[in-house]
Every structure is written in C-alpha cells, then in structure tokens.
Amino acid sequence: MELHGKYDVGRTDYGERWMAQQALKEAERAKREKEAEGADGAKKAGGIGEAKRAEKAEHVSEASGKTPVLQDEYISEERSGREIKGIYRRGQDENGNPKILYDDPKKTEEKCIGNTDSVDREIRGLKEKVKQLKQQIRAAGGDEKKVRELEQKLAQAEGELGRKDNDTYRKQHMDIVNG
C-alpha cells in the first residue's frame, strides 16, 4: 500500500469536485452527441440542465485549479507496480496486550558493543594498591608516623575503590564500539 499526499489548501471539498468532474464528463458526452446529431441534440430535455452543470463544473474546476486541495491518494500494490514490504505487524507490549508494531525498512540495525576492559584494569590496579598498602602497614608495625600515613593512603584507596567498583561506574566509563 502506498499513500501519495497532495497537501495544499483548498476551498472545495471532495463532493463538490466529484460532482464537477461528473458534470464535465456529462457535458463532454452531450457535446459529442450534439456534434453527432447536429442542432437537434441541443434541444433535448436534458441538454439545458447539462449545460448549466457544465458551467458549474468549469467554475469549480477553475477554483480548484487556483487553490489545490488537501488530498491523500491510495495506490494499491497492483497499481504501483512494485512489491510493498509490510512494515506493520502484530505483536505484544511488555504486559502481553496486543499491539501494532512498526518496522522501519529504511532503518538499519546498528550494534553497539560496550567494552569495560580499561575500567576493569583500573579497578584491579586499585585492589592491588590496597593489598600492597595493607602489607606495608603490617611490615611497618613499629613506626607510628609511617603507619598513620599508610592508613591515610589506604583509606583514600579504599574510598576510590568503593566509588569505582560498581556497575554504574563501569557503564559510565566503558568504551562503546559500533560493530
């Protein structure tokens, strides 16, 4: 199915245009009959009425020619001459209710791959740093000043590790690659 739109502002509606077209067709038919029969064709019972309708049709067609009308036109698959792929299909929403789904044929499917290797390396490095600081604190058991300094560094490293060792940080800092 195709829809071709003619989106212009107009003054006449569909019914008036249809009647005008029919009157034009009848006027043309009467004109042909008149030419075929000669002057007798104009004196027919419907000849005068058809002439009036033809005048009205010409008037409406002039008006519609000056101001085009907003109109959609349905073109069937047979008339369009090309195969139309279905872009609407039936499906279900997240609650299981029936739903009409739209598949855009122009939209290409893109795949994005998230890589958290660099974030994982950073977190592993922080865990190693925490482990080394704990070992240094055990090794420097007698020197209070050095122990306080190492504990301060350890608290800072553990705080940083706590901020970074979670899924939110990984998602925010991962590398995204289009695949």
Side-chain angles (χ1 to χ4, degrees):
M1 174 175 83
E2 284 185 29
L3 288 177
H4 289 281
K6 298 173 185 165
Y7 302 103
D8 298 322
V9 178
R11 292 186 187 149
T12 59
D13 68 348
Y14 179 75
E16 290 174 359
R17 284 194 323 268
W18 184 82
M19 288 174 56
Q21 289 172 350
Q22 294 301 319
L24 279 174
K25 287 179 185 177
E26 289 177 20
E28 288 174 7
R29 191 175 329 126
K31 184 178 177 182
R32 277 186 259 128
E33 288 177 5
K34 180 181 175 182
E35 290 172 357
E37 295 178 10
D40 295 336
K43 295 179 183 175
K44 281 186 162 179
I48 296 170
E50 286 180 19
K52 287 182 181 178
R53 275 189 253 141
E55 286 178 24
K56 182 180 178 184
E58 288 175 16
H59 175 69
V60 171
S61 66
E62 286 175 9
S64 65
K66 292 177 184 173
T67 56
V69 179
L70 178 70
Q71 177 181 354
D72 281 339
E73 179 182 353
Y74 170 75
I75 298 177
S76 67
E77 187 174 333
E78 294 81 29
R79 247 182 62 197
S80 72
R82 65 182 184 110
E83 182 180 336
I84 300 189
K85 297 180 177 144
I87 57 175
Y88 291 97
R89 61 183 171 86
R90 295 180 80 182
Q92 294 182 344
D93 63 3
E94 58 274 353
N95 297 327
N97 298 324
K99 181 180 179 181
I100 303 295
L101 302 173
Y102 175 75
D103 295 330
D104 190 357
K106 296 176 185 172
K107 183 179 178 184
T108 59
E109 189 173 312
E110 292 183 15
K111 293 183 181 181
C112 295
I113 300 170
N115 187 353
T116 60
D117 290 344
S118 60
V119 178
D120 291 337
R121 276 194 300 275
E122 184 181 356
I123 292 171
R124 266 189 259 117
L126 282 172
K127 286 181 180 179
E128 280 294 318
K129 185 177 180 181
V130 167
K131 187 177 177 183
Q132 287 176 357
L133 286 171
K134 285 181 181 179
Q135 286 177 352
Q136 288 176 3
I137 290 172
R138 279 188 239 122
D143 191 5
E144 297 261 336
K145 185 178 179 183
K146 190 170 185 177
V147 169
R148 258 188 260 128
E149 187 181 308
L150 289 172
E151 283 178 348
Q152 192 176 18
K153 286 182 180 180
L154 178 64
Q156 185 180 5
E158 285 178 339
E160 190 176 349
L161 182 63
R163 276 194 333 270
K164 293 182 178 181
D165 192 13
N166 60 49
D167 288 339
T168 305
Y169 183 83
R170 281 186 175 88
K171 286 179 185 177
Q172 289 175 348
H173 293 87
M174 72 179 163
D175 298 325
I176 298 175
V177 180
N178 290 335

